[in-house]
């Protein structure tokens, strides 16, 4: 049954449910007869399954092999096969039950088909049917599986707040949901184990590896403690744990491994290396789930990635490197063999993982010395497959089946290129070779009492979070029993605050604001002023005090088209997400009519955000051809170095047309382009970038001039590659920009001076006392007694380097023992690579093994070469870079990335674009990239990631302090990563990427003195700034707090794009250094600690007269 037929049948059921909800007409006798007849037509096995579902026999539909120690031949089948063969009959029963008002039967059918349709990417309609049925028949039980499915969908679509609330309620109340009745306490424990597992996935998405690993371990305890251990649940948690260990830093791994509450060695053996433990967990996951092809594919791909990464690590002996590469090759090949040629694949996750396994197999063969021409051919096939996969994610049901077949044909071509042959398998129905069956069973003795004790460690958090959940059933408006969760009682957001303009010194020039106002007020879009949105808040007498870093982008043609509008966010407008991807399902079914403001916003946006299905097959653009001009609503002037610089630049801009630098004139002429392999030689590759002079970029027709204080005289001649496809531009220039990505010209830091000021009830703390603070006092603050290791080598980090960054060179003291470059390379000082951005084999080894921040900046910093994305809808090979503040290391992974179309959101400096890459943390989630509007040096992107991950490091410590003081509000910075875009072996660009988030975006503080006092989350933000100031010994403070807030700040807050004022590095446009610290202490924090500071018992900080240059 193809996707179009499934979609049509589900749409019929949805219409029937909607009609039943609107018109309470009693069913006719004919309707009842049709219902009975349809039920009788089911096969015996399905009829039994349906009866058990109606009797609430289990909270999750089980697989036959799931709870059996000894699996017979009849058990080696999957529920998905049974559902697939009889889906039309089941959906006919569903529709007939809806029409006949047989809600119990209808919800039982939904329960049975739920997992199958989730993998078919059809949960959106199924969950809408579930909610409609619940509103009409609140006494009909809704299975816990469906409630958790809603949480999974929220997780995938970026609505983490809603997912957290659902899971916390289930965990806190032993799985109680609606009218569902449990047969045994072990069923309740199972629901708690699944809920804690999904919560671990949320923290994994947020980059909180240690905390996520602890939750996944708790779920393993729950699965093992059941009367019959849940093999499917164990396999799933082991696979998640493997992915977490793969991304975790060594410091967190040591803490996890030595945790007295975690018996890791009993489960995974004595493996002391993080990557080998991850590989072992993945292999065990494969064995536990060996009868389901999707789970085997997913877990062997993870296992292979772990082994491949270990082969590059410093700890891998040279004599064993080849062996681990061969093991990785075997794992990827096993995954590719889970489907035979021509066999149907209809899951988004399965397609993504097939492409990832094929690409990873190609990378492995490259490092094993395969012929270069074969590597290039296989890589290009992977790139083509990823481009088609991106189209698949945005296609309607009619196109999906064809795209799926085309993708799998390319995967088969790659299998043939690498001669992947089937293995001998004595166990029919299993997808793993004999060599995997020698894995020993874990000798674990978990009990129900032990699982209960494990869950008690998280009880405080979940109980507090539950208190912020709406407990009204939106179908009946009745109050729900506090111990039960209604599937519709999930109101979680607060209204967005209007924050039109952000200025670092907004009070200096009102003229610029006045020029912007006509643009904002002139919009005719109904989305511009949705109903029930509060009036703009005011701070210090100005309506323009706090502005989002991201603002609306108008797609106008002759001034008649409405503007794309919505909340200002890190990624895109909410409605755009709904039109973009069916996996982003939340706004279609979770936001009720009572939330009219948000619904109107979605409707207005959706009307002009074109899904792929609305575009002609002959067009490669996602935007209509007459949308040729971007009108940017400026977000104001923010984060400039000094007020004087701001005045100068504002004056220049007042006479400059407001045009987005670097944006193509017409989006309709975008075509799909595939760059040459990163694994091939860069000499003969087709360039997808071009070098341009500053004169070309400053063309008044389509470029916004660079500020005079950032780009100065002496431009090079245009050096355009004849074969360039103009997808990107690479700019060579003689600029005065800083390679620290902080300041145009590094300035000498003035000495800090400490003076006393008024104190508060607690003893005041000055900088001298911070510097001399002993370990005990630091411990009471949650402060680390030792700083993370820093690379301070004066040697080049790669083969040949130019010493040119005074920030790095002047601060060198020692080497990072974890950095490959610090330990392996001995280089002649001052040597300059012939081509700075061409990567050698040793460069790859350094990046893949792990390189410290200082060495990476020394290798890639340049004040002469700038990059800018010029074309979209293009696929590239790339290096996926993650930064760990705790270890100070960047670690790379070879991947493939699709650069999609712009999201419609732009800030003062950057624009957001949709991206999809093979090694993203969550396969089913959406990700966004951020690229500068004007060409920038590569270090700007890397510093953006380093800054956000530093803020995440600080806020993790802050959250621990909140938890210790029984303050259950939690703040998260969503993780940011970098993609180095490759053309051959040459770096030709960089974008930062992070998970897409749904919700209402608000600005809490700016990077100077303004703060939003209308929302309580700001109070937590100010306390967080106070904490970071103390935690950094008075040298840093995190400001410019903005993101997504729930429960007015008393629940969960997710932040992005912070700024950090620091005296550790030179002052710059966003780092005001000592002046920034003074702004925070005197203006944002003020002389008096707020209630959160007092609860945390943070020592008041005296006013510091930091010298201001």
């Amino acid at each position: 049954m193809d996707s179009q037929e499934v979609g049509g049948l589900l749409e019929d059921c949805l219409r029937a449910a909607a009609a039943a909800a609107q018109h309470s007409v009693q069913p006719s006798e004919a309707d009842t007869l049709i219902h009975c007849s349809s039920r009788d037509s089911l096969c015996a096995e399905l009829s039994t399954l349906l009866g058990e579902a109606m009797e609430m026999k289990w909270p999750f539909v089980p697989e036959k092999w799931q709870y059996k120690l000894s699996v017979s031949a009849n058990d080696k089948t999957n529920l998905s096969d049974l559902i697939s063969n009889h889906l039309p009959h089941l959906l006919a029963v569903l529709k007939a039950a809806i029409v006949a008002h047989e809600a119990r039967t209808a919800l039982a059918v939904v329960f049975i088909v739920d997992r199958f349709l989730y993998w078919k990417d059809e949960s959106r309609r199924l969950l809408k049917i579930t909610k409609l049925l619940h509103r009409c028949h609140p006494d009909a039980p809704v299975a816990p599986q469906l409630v958790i499915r809603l949480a999974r969908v929220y997780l995938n679509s970026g609505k983490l707040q809603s997912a957290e609330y659902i899971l916390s309620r289930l965990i806190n109340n032993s799985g109680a949901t609606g009218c569902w009745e449990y047969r045994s306490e072990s069923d309740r424990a199972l629901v708690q184990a699944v809920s804690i597992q999904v919560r671990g996935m949320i923290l994994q998405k947020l980059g909180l590896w240690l905390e996520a690993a602890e939750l996944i371990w708790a779920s393993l305890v729950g699965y093992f403690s059941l009367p019959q251990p849940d093999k499917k649940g164990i396999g799933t948690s082991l696979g998640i744990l493997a992915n977490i260990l793969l991304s975790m830093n060594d410091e967190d791994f040591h803490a996890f491994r030595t945790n007295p509450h975690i018996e890791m060695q009993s489960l995974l053996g004595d493996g002391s290396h993080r990557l080998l433990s991850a590989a072992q967990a993945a292999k065990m996951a494969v064995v536990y789930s060996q009868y389901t092809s999707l789970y085997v594919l997913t877990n062997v791909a993870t296992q292979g990635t772990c082994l491949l990464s270990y082969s590059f690590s410093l700890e891998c002996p040279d004599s064993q490197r080849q062996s681990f590469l061969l093991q990785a090759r075997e794992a990827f090949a096993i995954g590719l063999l889970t489907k035979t040629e021509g066999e149907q694949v209809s899951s988004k996750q399965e397609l993504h993982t097939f492409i990832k396994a094929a690409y990873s197999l190609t990378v492995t063969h490259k490092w094993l010395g395969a012929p270069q021409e074969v590597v290039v051919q296989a890589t290009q096939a992977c790139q083509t497959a990823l481009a088609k996969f991106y189209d698949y994610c945005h296609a309607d049901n009619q196109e999906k089946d064809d795209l799926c077949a085309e993708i799998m044909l390319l995967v088969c071509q790659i299998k043939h290129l690498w001669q992947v042959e089937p293995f001998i398998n004595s166990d029919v129905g299993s997808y793993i070779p004999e060599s995997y069956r020698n894995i020993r069973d874990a000798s674990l003795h978990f009990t129900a009492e032990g699982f209960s004790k494990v869950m008690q460690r998280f009880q405080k958090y979940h109980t507090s979070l539950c208190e912020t959940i709406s407990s009204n059933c939106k179908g009946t408006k009745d109050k729900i029993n506090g111990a039960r969760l209604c599937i519709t009682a999930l109101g979680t957001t607060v209204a967005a605050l209007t924050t039109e303009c952000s200025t670092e010194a907004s009070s200096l020039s009102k003229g610029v604001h006045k020029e912007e106002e006509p643009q904002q007020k002139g919009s005719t879009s109904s989305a511009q002023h949705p109903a029930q949105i509060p009036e703009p808040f005011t701070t210090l007498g100005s309506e323009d005090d706090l502005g989002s870093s991201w603002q609306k982008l108008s797609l106008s043609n002759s001034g008649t088209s409405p503007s794309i509008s919505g909340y200002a966010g890190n990624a895109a407008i909410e409605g755009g997400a709904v039109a973009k991807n069916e996996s982003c399902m939340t706004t279609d079914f979770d936001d009720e009519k009572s939330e009219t403001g948000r619904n109107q916003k979605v409707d207005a946006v959706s009307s002009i955000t074109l899904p792929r299905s609305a575009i002609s097959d002959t067009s490669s653009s996602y935007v209509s051809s007459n949308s040729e001009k971007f009108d940017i609503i400026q977000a104001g002037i923010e984060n400039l170095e000094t007020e004087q610089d701001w005045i100068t630049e504002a004056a220049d801009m007042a006479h400059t047309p407001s045009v987005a630098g670097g944006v193509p004139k017409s989006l309709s002429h975008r075509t799909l382009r595939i760059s040459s392999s990163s694994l091939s030689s860069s000499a003969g590759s087709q360039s997808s970038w071009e070098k341009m002079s500053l004169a070309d970029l400053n063309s008044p027709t389509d470029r916004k001039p660079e500020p005079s204080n950032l780009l100065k005289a002496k431009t090079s001649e245009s050096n355009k590659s004849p074969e360039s496809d103009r997808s990107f531009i690479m700019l060579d220039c003689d600029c005065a920009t800083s390679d620290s990505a902080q300041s145009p010209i590094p300035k000498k830091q003035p000495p800090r001076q400490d003076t006393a000021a008024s104190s508060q009830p607690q003893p005041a703390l000055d900088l001298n006392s911070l510097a001399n603070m002993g370990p005990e006092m630091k411990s009471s603050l949650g402060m680390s007694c030792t700083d993370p290791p820093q690379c301070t080598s004066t040697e080049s980090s790669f083969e040949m380097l130019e010493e040119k960054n005074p920030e790095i060179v002047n601060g060198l003291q020692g080497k990072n023992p974890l950095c490959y470059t610090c330990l392996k390379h001995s280089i002649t000082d001052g040597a300059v690579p012939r081509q700075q951005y061409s990567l050698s084999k040793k460069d790859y080894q350094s990046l893949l093994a792990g390189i410290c921040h200082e060495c990476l900046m020394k290798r890639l910093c340049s004040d002469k070469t700038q990059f800018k994305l010029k074309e979209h809808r293009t696929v590239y090979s790339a290096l996926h870079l993650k930064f760990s503040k705790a270890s100070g290391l960047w670690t790379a992974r070879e991947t493939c990335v699709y650069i999609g179309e712009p999201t419609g959101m732009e800030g003062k400096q950057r624009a957001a674009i949709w991206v999809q890459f093979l090694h993203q943390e969550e396969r089913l989630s959406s990700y966004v990239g951020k690229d500068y509007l004007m060409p920038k040096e590569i270090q700007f992107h890397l510093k953006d990631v380093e800054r956000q991950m530093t803020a995440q490091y600080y806020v993790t410590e802050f959250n621990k302090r909140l938890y210790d003081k029984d303050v259950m509000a939690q703040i998260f910075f969503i993780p940011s990563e970098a993609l180095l875009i490759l053309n051959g072996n040459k770096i030709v660009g960089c974008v930062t990427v992070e998970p897409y988030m749904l919700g209402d975006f608000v600005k809490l503080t700016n990077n100077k003195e303004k703060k939003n006092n209308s929302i309580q989350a700001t109070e937590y933000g100010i306390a967080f700034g106070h904490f970071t100031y103390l935690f950094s010994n008075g040298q840093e403070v995190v400001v410019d707090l903005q993101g997504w807030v729930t429960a007015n700040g008393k629940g969960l807050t997710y932040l992005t794009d912070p700024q950090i004022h620091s005296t550790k590095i030179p002052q710059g446009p966003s780092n005001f250094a000592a002046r920034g610290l003074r702004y925070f202490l005197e203006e944002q924090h003020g002389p008096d600690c707020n209630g959160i500071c007092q609860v945390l018992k943070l020592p008041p900080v005296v006013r510091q007269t930091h010298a201001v240059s």
Side-chain angles (χ1 to χ4, degrees):
M1 190 175 187
D2 62 30
S3 299
Q4 187 175 8
E5 290 177 289
V6 173
L9 290 174
L10 275 176
E11 197 62 37
D12 289 343
C13 294
L14 181 57
R15 281 195 289 266
Q22 292 176 0
H23 310 289
S24 56
V25 180
Q26 290 299 315
S28 65
E29 185 176 347
D31 294 333
T32 303
L33 289 174
I34 292 173
H35 168 249
C36 294
S37 174
S38 62
R39 279 197 60 177
D40 293 341
S41 68
L42 293 176
C43 67
E45 190 173 3
L46 274 179
S47 183
T48 300
L49 199 66
L50 181 62
E52 292 176 344
M54 294 177 65
E55 294 170 3
M56 297 177 278
K57 188 173 182 178
W58 11 253
F60 301 91
V61 183
E63 299 287 357
K64 289 184 177 180
W65 51 265
Q66 190 168 349
Y67 297 100
K68 294 183 178 180
L69 293 176
S70 179
V71 180
S72 66
N74 292 332
D75 296 329
K76 297 173 185 178
T77 59
N78 288 284
L79 183 66
S80 59
D81 299 325
L82 177 65
I83 301 300
S84 178
N85 293 332
H86 299 89
L87 187 60
H89 293 155
L90 283 168
L91 294 183
V93 173
L94 174 59
K95 181 180 178 181
I98 292 171
V99 173
H101 289 198
E102 294 289 343
R104 283 181 173 267
T105 303
L107 285 170
V109 174
V110 170
F111 182 18
I112 292 172
V113 302
D114 161 64
R115 188 179 300 131
F116 177 81
L117 291 181
Y118 177 66
W119 296 124
K120 294 278 288 185
D121 305 321
E122 285 289 359
S123 282
R124 177 180 62 89
R125 277 184 277 229
L126 196 64
L127 288 172
K128 288 182 77 171
I129 292 170
T130 304
K131 285 196 169 186
L132 288 169
L133 286 169
H134 174 72
R135 293 194 187 112
C136 294
H137 310 278
D139 294 332
V142 177
Q145 177 176 313
L146 293 172
V147 179
I148 293 178
R149 178 71 64 217
L150 186 61
R152 291 184 188 275
V153 170
Y154 283 143
L155 166 62
N156 296 337
S157 61
K159 204 159 189 178
L160 304 188
Q161 306 98 320
S162 297
E164 282 269 32
Y165 290 142
I166 292 173
L167 299 168
S168 292
R169 179 60 68 89
L170 287 172
I171 293 167
N172 193 56
N173 296 313
S174 301
T177 169
C179 303
W180 188 267
E181 296 178 3
Y182 288 96
R183 292 296 187 91
S184 66
E185 286 303 310
S186 63
D187 284 347
R188 291 181 180 273
L190 176 59
V191 171
Q192 287 186 306
V194 176
S195 299
I196 206 77
Q197 178 196 77
V198 181
R199 265 219 72 223
M201 295 171 66
I202 293 175
L203 297 189
Q204 177 191 8
K205 186 171 184 175
L206 290 170
L208 301 174
W209 314 118
L210 178 58
E211 294 81 358
E214 290 172 346
L215 291 180
I216 297 302
W217 179 264
S219 72
L220 283 167
V221 174
Y223 293 133
F224 275 112
S225 67
L226 296 173
Q228 291 294 330
D230 181 352
K231 293 196 290 186
K232 177 174 171 288
I234 292 168
T236 302
S237 282
L238 284 170
I240 297 169
L241 180 62
N243 276 299
I244 292 170
L245 296 179
L246 178 62
S247 298
M248 181 184 282
N249 62 62
D250 290 333
E251 180 181 312
D252 283 348
F253 175 68
H254 177 74
F256 179 69
R257 186 169 174 265
T258 57
N259 188 325
H261 301 292
I262 294 174
E263 303 175 38
M264 199 186 94
Q265 293 186 11
S266 300
L267 181 64
L268 301 180
D270 298 329
S272 59
H273 195 279
R274 171 177 55 84
L275 294 173
L276 293 181
S277 295
Q280 178 68 6
K283 187 174 183 179
M284 291 179 66
V286 172
V287 176
Y288 273 105
S289 57
Q290 60 182 291
Y291 302 111
T292 303
S293 62
L294 173 60
Y295 300 149
V296 171
L297 167 64
T298 301
N299 293 320
V300 292
T302 300
Q303 181 200 9
T305 303
C306 296
L307 295 168
L308 181 62
S309 297
Y310 180 72
S311 72
F312 299 117
S313 69
L314 287 168
E315 294 83 356
C316 181
D318 292 337
S319 60
Q320 297 182 28
R321 202 171 306 278
Q322 183 91 350
S323 172
F324 283 106
L325 285 171
L326 291 173
Q327 292 178 52
R329 184 183 68 178
E330 179 191 25
F332 295 130
I334 291 170
L336 293 178
L337 289 169
T338 54
K339 291 290 184 183
T340 59
E341 190 167 350
E343 193 173 356
Q344 185 180 13
V345 175
S346 57
S347 161
K348 179 181 175 181
Q349 176 173 333
E350 197 166 14
L351 279 176
H352 183 278
T353 312
F354 265 117
I355 302 170
K356 178 181 177 181
Y359 184 83
S360 299
L361 180 63
T362 301
V363 171
T364 305
H365 273 284
K366 179 200 73 167
W367 288 103
L368 285 168
Q372 182 178 340
E373 59 273 13
V374 183
V375 172
V376 172
Q377 188 177 353
T379 304
Q380 290 177 340
C382 291
Q383 292 177 330
T384 304
L386 181 59
K388 291 182 180 295
F389 177 75
Y390 187 89
D391 286 342
Y392 172 91
C393 294
H394 302 77
D396 57 26
N397 288 328
Q398 185 174 1
E399 295 177 288
K400 279 188 173 182
D401 295 315
D402 293 338
L403 287 168
C404 178
E406 293 171 12
I407 291 169
M408 291 308 297
L409 182 61
L410 289 165
V411 171
C412 287
Q413 291 176 9
I414 297 166
K415 287 166 62 176
H416 293 319
L417 282 173
W418 298 125
Q419 300 177 356
V420 177
E421 300 293 338
F423 49 80
I424 299 175
N425 189 356
S426 61
D427 188 357
V428 178
S430 171
Y431 292 91
I432 64 175
E434 299 296 328
S435 60
Y436 274 60
R437 303 188 196 284
N438 59 7
I439 194 167
R440 65 178 180 84
D441 287 333
S443 57
L444 299 171
H445 304 286
F446 294 123
T447 63
E449 293 76 14
F451 179 57
S452 179
K453 290 180 181 179
V454 169
M455 296 303 294
Q456 285 175 6
R457 295 206 298 269
F458 309 106
Q459 194 73 20
K460 184 169 64 172
Y461 172 81
H462 296 130
T463 300
S464 176
L465 193 58
C466 289
E467 294 173 358
T468 64
I469 303 176
S470 168
S471 57
N472 286 328
C473 173
K474 293 181 181 178
T476 65
K477 302 302 179 185
D478 292 334
K479 199 77 172 179
I480 299 299
N481 185 326
R484 295 183 178 273
L485 172 63
C486 170
I487 196 169
T488 63
L490 300 170
T492 60
T493 58
V494 295
L497 296 170
T498 306
T499 55
E500 289 96 353
C501 181
S502 174
T503 68
E504 191 275 313
S506 60
S507 60
L508 294 179
S509 174
K510 297 294 182 183
V512 174
H513 298 162
K514 291 178 180 179
E515 291 177 10
E516 292 169 355
E517 286 174 0
Q519 286 181 290
Q520 297 170 4
K521 293 180 179 179
S523 172
T524 59
S525 171
S526 61
Q528 196 78 359
H529 302 285
Q532 296 187 0
I533 299 297
E535 291 298 318
F537 63 86
T538 58
T539 307
L540 304 182
S542 171
E543 292 183 359
D544 298 326
D545 290 331
L546 292 170
S548 168
S549 295
W550 298 93
Q551 294 292 343
K552 291 149 284 205
L553 182 65
S554 171
L555 296 175
S556 61
N557 53 356
S558 305
T560 57
S561 295
S563 298
I564 289 182
S565 180
Y567 60 83
N570 78 313
I573 47 180
E574 187 168 346
V578 176
K580 167 191 170 288
N581 190 343
E582 281 195 346
S583 71
C584 296
M585 308 168 193
T586 61
T587 51
D588 276 347
F589 59 82
D590 74 307
D591 297 321
E592 310 304 330
K593 292 181 180 180
S594 59
E595 296 172 319
T596 56
R598 297 182 62 204
N599 281 340
Q600 289 180 12
K601 186 186 303 183
V602 171
D603 292 340
V605 173
S606 298
S607 66
I608 61 168
T609 304
L610 301 180
R612 189 182 186 281
S613 58
I615 300 171
S616 169
D617 292 338
T618 61
S619 171
S620 61
S621 172
Y622 283 40
V623 183
S624 59
S625 59
N626 59 355
S627 299
E628 295 185 354
K629 182 179 178 182
F630 283 84
D631 294 326
I632 302 171
I633 299 178
Q634 294 289 345
I637 313 301
E638 61 180 350
N639 303 338
L640 295 181
E641 182 183 355
T642 65
E643 284 92 349
Q644 185 60 43
D645 289 338
W646 183 87
I647 295 172
T648 303
E649 184 174 350
D652 293 339
M653 291 180 63
H655 301 89
T656 304
S658 177
V659 179
V663 178
K665 287 184 178 180
S666 175
L667 298 178
S668 63
H669 296 124
R670 293 185 189 135
T671 56
L672 173 63
R673 305 184 188 278
I674 301 175
S675 72
S676 59
S677 167
S678 66
L679 310 171
S680 65
S681 169
S682 60
S685 63
Q686 179 181 1
S687 173
S688 58
W689 295 66
E690 60 181 310
K691 295 184 178 180
M692 296 185 67
S693 68
L694 285 177
D696 296 330
L697 290 172
N698 287 336
S699 170
T701 59
D702 61 352
R703 301 284 179 196
K704 176 181 175 180
E706 288 280 3
S708 59
N709 64 327
L710 293 181
L711 293 177
K712 297 189 177 180
K714 288 197 179 181
T715 63
S716 65
E717 295 182 0
S718 176
N719 183 10
K720 192 177 300 182
S721 171
E723 68 273 15
S724 169
D725 63 12
R726 306 179 67 89
S727 296
F728 289 77
I729 56 173
M730 184 167 64
L731 172 69
D732 287 343
C733 60
D734 291 329
C735 306
T737 55
S738 167
D739 51 17
S740 70
Q742 287 286 353
S743 174
I745 302 176
K747 298 184 179 181
K748 183 178 179 181
Q749 285 295 91
R752 294 195 304 272
Q753 300 177 0
D754 304 334
T755 59
S758 60
S759 61
Q760 293 305 309
Q762 299 182 39
L765 196 64
D766 62 17
L767 288 181
N768 288 326
S769 63
L770 281 168
N772 299 323
M773 188 182 296
E776 292 182 1
M777 184 60 182
K778 287 187 178 183
S779 176
S780 70
L781 285 172
M783 295 169 63
S784 173
C785 297
T786 58
D787 292 329
Q790 299 293 325
C791 168
T792 51
S793 168
T794 57
E795 295 180 343
S796 169
S797 61
F798 286 67
E799 293 181 272
M800 295 183 299
L801 296 176
E802 176 186 15
E803 303 245 357
K804 56 177 175 283
N805 191 335
E807 173 191 336
I808 297 170
V809 176
N810 294 336
L812 304 179
Q813 296 177 353
K815 295 186 177 182
N816 187 326
L818 303 176
C819 174
Y820 181 96
T821 299
C822 289
L823 299 182
K824 292 285 187 179
H825 288 306
S826 177
I827 306 112
T828 304
D829 290 344
V832 182
R834 292 181 181 179
Q835 293 184 325
Q836 182 179 9
Y837 294 107
S838 293
L839 299 179
S840 67
K841 182 178 180 180
K842 287 187 177 180
D843 291 336
Y844 275 102
Q845 290 172 335
S846 294
L847 290 165
L848 295 170
I851 178 173
C852 64
H853 181 69
E854 287 74 13
C855 284
L856 182 66
M857 297 299 286
K858 284 173 64 179
R859 176 62 177 87
L860 297 182
C861 273
S862 171
D863 57 2
K864 296 182 179 180
T865 305
Q866 299 177 327
F867 301 97
K868 175 73 185 78
L869 172 66
K870 189 178 180 184
E871 294 285 344
H872 303 89
R873 302 208 64 219
T874 312
V875 62
Y876 300 95
S877 289
L879 284 173
H880 175 210
L881 280 172
K882 290 185 176 182
F883 176 71
S884 167
K885 177 66 176 177
S887 65
L889 287 184
W890 292 84
T891 306
R893 195 173 297 149
E894 293 173 86
T895 192
C896 191
V897 58
Y898 185 92
I899 303 293
E901 61 276 359
T903 65
M905 302 305 297
E906 283 193 1
K908 173 65 173 70
Q909 300 183 50
R910 295 187 293 174
I913 49 179
W914 294 114
V915 297
Q916 187 112 34
F917 58 104
L918 293 181
H919 289 80
Q920 61 191 46
E921 201 68 46
E922 290 292 328
R923 290 176 295 270
L924 297 179
S925 296
S926 299
Y927 281 72
V928 290
K930 295 178 182 179
D931 188 36
Y932 280 91
L933 297 173
M934 298 299 293
K936 290 288 186 182
E937 295 84 354
I938 204 166
Q939 61 264 28
F940 278 80
H941 299 274
L942 298 177
K943 291 292 290 184
D944 287 337
V945 173
E946 189 265 348
R947 183 169 54 248
Q948 189 149 326
M949 298 310 290
T950 297
Q952 185 195 65
Y953 175 79
Y954 282 138
V955 86
T956 301
E957 298 297 327
F958 179 68
N959 285 339
K960 293 175 184 176
R961 189 64 184 271
L962 288 174
Y963 190 85
D964 290 342
K965 298 297 182 181
D966 294 326
V967 180
M968 292 299 107
Q970 296 280 281
I971 301 174
F972 304 100
F973 279 94
I974 58 178
S976 179
E977 300 158 354
L979 289 172
L980 295 180
I981 310 298
L982 302 176
N983 181 23
N985 291 318
K986 187 175 183 180
I987 299 173
V988 291
C990 184
V991 294
T992 59
V993 291
E994 58 189 48
Y996 170 68
M997 295 285 291
L998 271 173
D1000 295 315
F1001 192 90
V1002 296
K1003 185 104 168 179
L1004 305 180
T1005 67
N1006 72 353
N1007 64 338
K1008 196 178 177 185
E1009 73 272 5
K1010 303 300 189 290
K1011 57 184 176 181
N1012 177 1
N1013 290 318
S1014 67
I1015 188 167
Q1016 189 174 355
T1018 302
E1019 191 174 4
Y1020 288 89
I1022 298 299
F1024 169 56
H1026 184 169
F1027 176 86
T1028 59
Y1029 181 77
L1030 299 174
F1031 195 83
S1032 63
N1033 290 328
Q1035 298 178 78
E1036 291 188 325
V1037 64
V1038 181
V1039 295
D1040 205 16
L1041 305 181
Q1042 54 197 322
W1044 301 263
V1045 176
T1046 62
N1048 198 29
K1050 293 180 289 186
L1052 305 174
T1053 298
Y1054 304 90
L1055 302 177
T1056 187
D1057 293 333
Q1059 297 295 339
I1060 298 179
H1061 296 318
S1062 175
T1063 57
K1064 294 181 179 180
I1065 57 177
Q1067 178 176 318
S1070 60
N1071 172 28
F1072 300 167
R1075 181 163 54 91
L1077 298 180
R1078 188 192 64 186
Y1079 281 147
F1080 173 78
L1081 295 175
E1082 296 181 2
E1083 303 294 340
Q1084 287 191 0
H1085 184 280
D1088 299 325
C1089 282
N1090 65 31
I1092 306 302
C1093 297
Q1094 294 173 7
V1095 169
L1096 298 182
K1097 298 183 178 179
L1098 299 179
V1101 182
V1102 300
R1103 177 181 176 273
Q1104 305 298 332
T1105 57
H1106 296 286
V1108 179
S1109 58

